[in-house]
Amino acid sequence: MRVLHVILFGVGGVGRALVRQMVEHRSLHALRYGLTLPIVALCDRDGAVVDETGIDDEALLQLVDFKAQGGRLANHPLGGPQGDPAGIVDIAGRDGTVVVDCTASEATVPALLLALERGYKIVLANKKPLTVDQEVYDRLAAAGATAGEEGGPAHPLTHHLGMSRWETTVGAGLPVIATLNRLVASGDEVSRIAGTFSGTLGYVMTGLQEGRRFSEIVREAHRLGYTEPDPRDDLGGIDVARKALILARGLGWRLDLADVQVTGLYPPEMDSLSVQEFLDALPQLDETFQRQVAEAAAQGQVLRYAATVEGQQCRVGPTLVSADSPLGRLRGTDNLVEFHTRWYHPNPLVIQGRGAGVDATAAGVLSDIVELAFTG
Amino acid sequence: MRVLHVILFGVGGVGRALVRQMVEHRSLHALRYGLTLPIVALCDRDGAVVDETGIDDEALLQLVDFKAQGGRLANHPLGGPQGDPAGIVDIAGRDGTVVVDCTASEATVPALLLALERGYKIVLANKKPLTVDQEVYDRLAAAGATAGEEGGPAHPLTHHLGMSRWETTVGAGLPVIATLNRLVASGDEVSRIAGTFSGTLGYVMTGLQEGRRFSEIVREAHRLGYTEPDPRDDLGGIDVARKALILARGLGWRLDLADVQVTGLYPPEMDSLSVQEFLDALPQLDETFQRQVAEAAAQGQVLRYAATVEGQQCRVGPTLVSADSPLGRLRGTDNLVEFHTRWYHPNPLVIQGRGAGVDATAAGVLSDIVELAFTG
């Protein structure tokens, strides 16, 4: 049996779904791949449950239920305070360990870098570590992929050939990063990546195209729980900007989050309002969007909230696309990404499908883990 | 520098494009990946050029030009007769070798199996070895991916984690097999794969949808060189059937090419005609297609030449799909594949783009080679 020990940071929606899927598929992984994936540590914000022989499945399922009900691992009978990241990372203390980051926080960066020093593998569902300093990105990307016999530092583009994976940071389980990596590895020239990476914003743009009022769509989406509690967290576009930056860095470009030009779906002066004030003030934006959509339609175009990675620049915001292009034909909440390259021209290579959801994301994380179990 | 020696079978369109891309991107692969890919043998049907230190780039480019002009390697000053496959496979005679099959023939199977015995890696652009005996498929799939410490035989589903790759056998450079493998590895349940895998047949079906006559479309496609010299080689669907079989086997199903239900775009009795007689007789099929397309449209459906992998069965032929589905919205020669799974439901995961062409295919082969250079 091949064994890869798992240290999991983050027991929110994705982390919980991952634990459930790992338990559900234990026998499948053993049968198909001869692979065992013991979870040796489960960590939330400040607590942890550790067992270097692997937490048993019954306890794992109880722990994720406990977390789902709002519990803190520090207060669970099996758990305790997390303490120093080194304490957690050193639990495994041997080869064959992967640190999986399903948080949405920068706080895991020290633990991740420490894990790299130990020679562990890394899987990220968390965009933050990849979108802070370029230097952190470079270290995560080069994990274990030393170029050549002298053991010199690897080129950041080697990441998918090394010991780290982060497929689910863009488009959840969709194979966006894997596709980008294949194009880059072949030497194909990627001239433009354009995509929609927010189901919520896809819902808004589809609604606008159908002639509905912006205020009405956003209020409905908020009421139905399709948006974050503060809908500006979606409408501002910063989450999409992080995804664009990850794609650009995947092309080998060196730039920071501040270099991404982000245009939100509301003017900055509305940032100072309370959530309720913001919702109440939305109708003042209706006319502008109505006019933009009508102008686009008159030219055979539609408005999408897109990320565009092109010419060493990243732009995120409302974007005019041909109604007859893959992005233009898209409806609803699916993500869609077009890769325009030397060989995919004039028609792009297109990936489309659900780009969010805890189960699809967790499944993508699990694919990354299985792949790394057979790497190195 | 990491070194992977390349033995290339097949110097037709894809093989020639691969050699040109490898030469063009040598410095890129060295810079980004610290990787050198010397070509130690170039083989056509019965001849070969071998140089265990790597054929130099100038000679490689001359050789592919010579092949493009219809030359045979056996007659080239640098070449000679190929002889026994063992003679070729043993050229490298060391670790770090990949055998790349860009032929369209079953004749490479003995060399491939011999290469596996030597512990070499394998990249196939050739569907034939994967669609003959299940046993050959199993051996190719399990290459180097022994499950567990006892070194027992690997499960055929481990292939993408082992020493063989064949991404370009379905959809050319599109990441179809890689996506399937990721879904399978995560334990997601794939309930249906439906796709169009022939640009020629896509052209025909789009033409029918636009109200053109079947005979007119096929004759035009034949005249423009969009079809094989005998258009029945496309219209019969057998090439699509091979792709469906590769997808089904990728799900772990055990079945043979004879188990794929293939419905061609012409009745079997037209197989006895000459090419000219066949082209002359085409109008007799016009009315049937016209009626089928009209009946489909009346129900909000369109006719696609699709492969469907579902419920342990593979079907290939004219298929009714909703006009509002990804396959239904497809126009022209692009390939498109829908993966319907537990997590991609009701909307499938979709991959779309050029599914043929020597350059896109060669680039996909090169991605496979780079990936394998970092595996094992």
Side-chain angles (χ1 to χ4, degrees):
Chain A
M1 273 293 185
R2 193 180 284 261
V3 181
L4 184 63
H5 302 88
V6 177
I7 296 174
L8 174 60
F9 284 90
V11 203
V14 172
R16 292 198 301 269
L18 175 64
V19 170
R20 290 200 182 97
Q21 289 184 24
M22 287 176 71
V23 170
E24 179 182 351
H25 298 313
R26 267 206 202 294
S27 59
L28 178 151
H29 285 124
L31 174 73
R32 285 188 187 158
Y33 304 111
L35 178 63
T36 310
L37 298 168
I39 298 178
V40 296
L42 207 60
C43 312
D44 60 8
R45 188 181 304 266
D46 54 6
V49 175
V50 299
D51 180 343
E52 65 177 39
T53 66
I55 306 169
D56 77 54
D57 284 350
E58 202 179 329
L60 284 171
L61 295 177
Q62 281 170 2
L63 285 162
V64 295
D65 284 345
F66 172 76
K67 283 297 299 179
Q69 288 153 24
R72 289 172 54 194
L73 294 181
N75 300 333
H76 190 277
L78 294 175
Q82 196 175 124
D84 190 285
I88 297 296
V89 168
D90 285 337
I91 285 160
R94 66 199 122 183
D95 286 341
T97 300
V98 60
V99 173
V100 179
D101 183 352
C102 291
T103 74
S105 152
E106 289 172 35
T108 54
V109 169
L112 293 170
L113 295 179
L114 205 60
L116 287 182
E117 277 174 33
R118 299 283 189 279
Y120 297 167
K121 297 165 180 178
I122 302 261
V123 172
L124 306 171
N126 178 9
K127 290 180 282 293
K128 295 273 172 67
L130 298 167
T131 52
V132 289
D133 300 345
Q134 178 79 50
E135 191 240 338
V136 172
Y137 178 93
D138 289 348
R139 288 172 70 182
L140 291 168
T146 47
E149 285 150 14
E150 293 83 32
H155 191 284
L157 284 174
T158 53
H159 58 88
H160 65 297
L161 304 166
M163 301 296 188
S164 49
R165 297 287 187 281
W166 48 78
E167 181 59 78
T168 59
T169 58
V170 181
L174 300 177
V176 177
I177 307 273
T179 299
L180 176 63
N181 289 336
R182 285 190 61 88
L183 294 170
V184 169
S186 76
D188 195 0
E189 291 146 28
V190 179
S191 55
R192 181 157 59 99
I193 307 172
T196 55
F197 297 108
S198 161
T200 309
L201 296 174
Y203 180 85
V204 172
M205 302 317 275
T206 300
L208 287 175
Q209 194 179 345
E210 289 165 352
R212 299 178 65 199
R213 281 196 301 276
F214 181 71
S215 58
E216 180 198 338
I217 307 164
V218 173
R219 286 171 183 171
E220 181 193 69
H222 183 252
R223 196 175 60 244
L224 296 172
Y226 295 174
T227 69
E228 296 291 321
D230 184 340
R232 286 170 291 194
D233 290 344
D234 296 298
L235 300 174
I238 186 67
D239 189 64
V240 177
R242 288 189 190 278
K243 295 175 185 177
L245 178 61
I246 291 171
L247 292 174
R249 286 181 167 177
L251 286 170
W253 300 359
R254 302 187 76 73
L255 72 178
D256 291 316
L257 195 55
D259 300 319
V260 181
Q261 299 164 37
V262 188
T263 308
L265 285 182
Y266 65 92
E269 50 274 24
M270 292 176 82
D271 267 328
S272 58
L273 305 178
S274 72
V275 171
Q276 192 53 54
E277 286 168 344
F278 176 75
L279 291 169
D280 290 342
L282 281 172
Q284 70 190 60
L285 303 176
D286 287 348
E287 204 187 312
T288 310
F289 282 112
Q290 218 153 8
R291 197 182 57 242
Q292 285 179 12
V293 168
E295 283 172 5
Q299 303 166 50
Q301 296 189 303
V302 293
L303 213 54
R304 292 285 175 261
Y305 197 91
T308 309
V309 177
E310 183 176 24
Q312 300 288 326
Q313 294 200 316
C314 293
R315 296 189 316 277
V316 168
T319 305
L320 286 172
V321 301
S322 163
D324 197 32
S325 67
L327 272 175
R329 284 191 293 269
L330 182 69
R331 295 286 180 285
T333 58
D334 270 1
N335 282 196
L336 186 149
V337 55
E338 302 177 351
F339 292 95
H340 297 262
T341 80
R342 179 176 173 195
W343 307 129
Y344 292 96
H345 175 84
N347 289 1
L349 191 167
V350 179
I351 313 275
Q352 182 184 342
R354 178 199 303 271
V358 295
D359 279 313
T361 307
V365 171
L366 193 42
S367 292
D368 280 353
I369 294 172
V370 171
E371 207 173 292
L372 280 180
F374 285 81
T375 302
Chain B
M1 273 292 182
R2 192 180 286 259
V3 180
L4 183 64
H5 301 89
V6 177
I7 296 174
L8 174 60
F9 284 90
V11 203
V14 172
R16 292 199 300 271
L18 175 64
V19 170
R20 290 201 182 98
Q21 289 184 22
M22 286 176 71
V23 169
E24 179 181 350
H25 298 313
R26 266 204 204 295
S27 58
L28 178 151
H29 284 124
L31 175 73
R32 284 188 189 160
Y33 304 110
L35 178 63
T36 310
L37 299 168
I39 299 179
V40 296
L42 207 61
C43 312
D44 61 7
R45 189 181 303 267
D46 54 7
V49 175
V50 300
D51 181 343
E52 64 177 39
T53 65
I55 305 168
D56 77 54
D57 285 349
E58 203 179 329
L60 283 170
L61 295 176
Q62 282 170 2
L63 285 162
V64 295
D65 284 345
F66 172 77
K67 282 298 298 179
Q69 287 153 25
R72 290 173 53 196
L73 294 181
N75 300 333
H76 191 277
L78 295 174
Q82 194 175 125
D84 190 284
I88 297 295
V89 168
D90 286 337
I91 285 161
R94 66 197 124 185
D95 286 343
T97 300
V98 60
V99 173
V100 179
D101 183 352
C102 291
T103 73
S105 151
E106 289 172 33
T108 54
V109 169
L112 293 170
L113 295 180
L114 207 59
L116 287 183
E117 277 173 32
R118 299 284 190 276
Y120 297 167
K121 297 164 180 179
I122 304 260
V123 172
L124 306 171
N126 179 9
K127 291 180 281 297
K128 294 275 172 69
L130 298 167
T131 53
V132 288
D133 300 345
Q134 178 79 52
E135 191 241 337
V136 172
Y137 178 92
D138 288 348
R139 287 171 69 182
L140 291 168
T146 47
E149 285 150 15
E150 293 84 31
H155 190 285
L157 285 175
T158 53
H159 57 88
H160 67 294
L161 305 167
M163 301 295 186
S164 49
R165 296 287 186 281
W166 49 78
E167 181 59 79
T168 59
T169 58
V170 181
L174 300 177
V176 176
I177 308 273
T179 300
L180 177 62
N181 289 336
R182 284 189 61 89
L183 294 171
V184 169
S186 76
D188 195 0
E189 290 145 28
V190 179
S191 55
R192 181 157 59 100
I193 307 172
T196 56
F197 296 109
S198 160
T200 309
L201 296 175
Y203 180 85
V204 171
M205 303 317 275
T206 300
L208 288 175
Q209 194 178 345
E210 289 164 353
R212 299 178 64 199
R213 280 196 302 276
F214 181 70
S215 58
E216 180 199 338
I217 307 165
V218 173
R219 286 171 183 169
E220 180 193 71
H222 183 251
R223 198 175 58 243
L224 297 172
Y226 295 174
T227 70
E228 297 290 321
D230 184 340
R232 285 169 293 192
D233 290 345
D234 295 300
L235 300 175
I238 185 67
D239 189 64
V240 177
R242 288 190 191 277
K243 294 173 185 176
L245 179 61
I246 291 171
L247 291 174
R249 285 180 167 176
L251 286 171
W253 301 359
R254 303 186 75 74
L255 72 178
D256 291 315
L257 195 55
D259 300 320
V260 181
Q261 300 164 38
V262 188
T263 308
L265 286 181
Y266 66 92
E269 49 274 24
M270 292 177 82
D271 267 327
S272 59
L273 305 177
S274 72
V275 170
Q276 193 53 55
E277 286 168 346
F278 175 75
L279 290 169
D280 290 343
L282 281 172
Q284 70 189 60
L285 302 177
D286 288 348
E287 204 187 311
T288 310
F289 282 112
Q290 219 153 10
R291 198 182 56 243
Q292 285 180 11
V293 168
E295 283 172 5
Q299 303 166 51
Q301 296 188 303
V302 292
L303 213 54
R304 293 284 174 262
Y305 197 90
T308 310
V309 177
E310 183 177 24
Q312 300 288 326
Q313 293 199 318
C314 292
R315 295 187 318 274
V316 169
T319 306
L320 287 172
V321 301
S322 165
D324 197 33
S325 67
L327 272 175
R329 284 190 292 269
L330 181 69
R331 295 286 180 284
T333 59
D334 270 1
N335 282 195
L336 186 150
V337 56
E338 303 177 351
F339 292 95
H340 297 262
T341 80
R342 179 176 174 193
W343 306 130
Y344 293 96
H345 175 82
N347 289 1
L349 191 167
V350 179
I351 313 276
Q352 182 183 344
R354 179 199 303 271
V358 295
D359 279 313
T361 308
V365 171
L366 192 42
S367 292
D368 279 353
I369 294 172
V370 171
E371 206 173 293
L372 279 181
F374 285 83
T375 303

